[in-house]
Amino acid sequence: MERARVGSSGLEVSRLALGTMTWSRDTGADEAGQQLDAFLDAGGTLLDTAASYADGGSEALIGSMLGGTIARGEVQICTKAGIRRTERGGVVDASRDTLLSTLDASLTRLGTDHVDLWLVHAFDPATPLEETLHALEIAANTGRARYVGVSNFPGWAMARIATLATGRPSIAATQVEYSLLERGIEREVLPAAQALGMGVLGWSPLGRGVLTGKYRDAVPADSRAASDHLSGFVAPYLDQRSGIVVGALETAAEGLGWTPLETALAWALHRPGLTSAIVGARTAKQLAPALAAAALDLPDAIAQALDEVSAPPAGYPERR
């Protein structure tokens, strides 16, 4: 598997990252271990997790693997902080106190003294960006995080915190949703990241599973859309517009002799500015096609056709 530089930083990561949102909840230890083995065998390096995934269960499961047959140096760990659990559910909190205490708890669960990339999970309008940046600076200067960045930030906030970081540890990366069904980052986030020298990690490049085509006729009983805790995550992409994009994707895939999954992932990896695409699966069997797709080269004509059918709406001031 190819590797790519994360923006203008010195960090290099695999073009595919292994997402672990379902680990310890929908994906047990045995399946997770098989996924990780297959990922490493394919040349993958970057594991993506978060303190909020399964209330820390994902990180704990990764930590148990690192304490077993997987050496720490074999993997790069990206984790996120900034979602605080309350009685009312998750609350975005990017204060210095919450970020640093969450990072320390993450390191304990992971069984390591540092993570390779640490991200603020979401933009917090109630906390000054200077305070959030100070937490990132402390994490980098104390060695708890080798590189730092943000996730799910609007373009203006991402650019602002990156600019404030001048003379401090730089904001190396942004992690955002990106697929044929969600191309909103192309308006401002992607060009801003490129101008600022930031890498872009795209989560859900398969459109929350919808771009596999498995939801075309019905909702499979064993799918995310049928589960109590993930049905709302998939539902926004079960609309008419998504159906049109999936139909075009299936036509393109048939012409190439590929699957819709392979074609959708190849499209994402073909996009300029995308450093790595984060793929997650419930089982190792589901992960295998994604690992194989990393080697596919999408023809420019097919990429252009898919670009046109999935183009995001744009207006003033992006387009006049």
Side-chain angles (χ1 to χ4, degrees):
M1 186 184 302
E2 292 183 352
R3 298 179 70 166
R5 184 70 63 91
V6 179
S8 58
S9 76
L11 179 63
E12 285 191 352
V13 299
S14 51
R15 291 301 315 279
L16 285 185
L18 180 57
T20 65
M21 184 177 70
T22 65
W23 284 20
S24 87
R25 185 179 58 188
D26 302 311
T27 301
D30 289 343
E31 279 289 352
Q34 292 177 39
Q35 286 188 31
L36 183 54
D37 287 343
F39 180 66
L40 295 175
D41 287 345
T45 61
L46 183 61
L47 283 181
D48 180 75
T49 187
S52 59
Y53 291 171
D55 292 330
S58 172
E59 291 179 330
L61 183 50
I62 293 171
S64 70
M65 294 177 182
L66 296 180
T69 58
I70 305 298
R72 175 66 180 90
E74 291 185 70
V75 297
Q76 297 167 304
I77 298 174
C78 170
T79 195
K80 300 177 282 292
I83 305 294
R84 179 167 49 85
R85 183 62 56 186
T86 71
E87 293 180 355
R88 301 185 305 277
V91 174
V92 176
D93 182 353
S95 64
R96 180 171 50 244
D97 178 60
T98 292
L99 288 176
L100 292 175
S101 61
T102 301
L103 175 59
D104 288 339
S106 291
L107 294 175
T108 298
R109 286 189 292 266
L110 289 164
T112 184
D113 62 356
H114 75 281
V115 292
D116 300 276
L117 180 60
W118 187 49
L119 307 177
V120 182
H121 205 152
F123 172 63
D124 175 9
T127 300
L129 284 171
E130 290 86 349
E131 179 176 337
T132 298
L133 177 60
H134 190 212
L136 296 176
E137 182 181 11
I138 291 171
N141 288 342
T142 58
R144 286 128 95 185
R146 295 292 189 258
Y147 295 88
V148 295
V150 298
S151 177
N152 302 310
F153 268 45
W156 73 266
M158 182 194 76
R160 177 61 177 157
I161 196 170
T163 303
L164 288 171
T166 302
R168 296 170 168 176
S170 63
I171 304 300
T174 184
Q175 186 179 120
V176 282
E177 185 175 6
Y178 192 42
S179 74
L180 281 163
L181 298 182
E182 180 50 85
R183 294 175 58 187
I185 67 167
E186 294 178 10
R187 289 190 289 269
E188 293 194 354
V189 172
L190 195 56
Q194 291 174 312
L196 293 163
M198 296 169 61
V200 178
L201 309 177
W203 60 266
S204 206
L206 297 177
R208 309 187 185 188
V210 174
L211 291 171
T212 63
K214 65 184 176 183
Y215 296 110
R216 285 286 279 168
D217 300 317
V219 175
D222 62 346
S223 67
R224 291 180 177 183
S227 69
D228 291 338
H229 54 276
L230 287 174
S231 58
F233 180 68
V234 180
Y237 295 155
L238 299 179
D239 60 1
Q240 184 178 13
R241 176 187 176 275
S242 297
I244 293 171
V245 175
V246 173
L249 177 66
E250 290 178 333
T251 299
E254 184 178 359
L256 292 166
W258 298 355
T259 65
L261 180 153
E262 291 171 330
T263 309
L265 194 51
W267 176 88
L269 293 173
H270 188 272
R271 302 299 294 169
L274 186 71
T275 305
S276 185
I278 303 168
V279 293
R282 194 176 67 257
T283 67
K285 183 178 179 180
Q286 291 177 342
L287 178 64
L291 296 178
L296 296 175
D297 187 14
L298 188 69
D300 289 340
I302 300 297
Q304 183 176 351
L306 292 173
D307 289 351
E308 291 174 357
V309 76
S310 65
Y316 178 85
E318 295 90 8
R319 180 180 299 165
R320 296 186 66 179

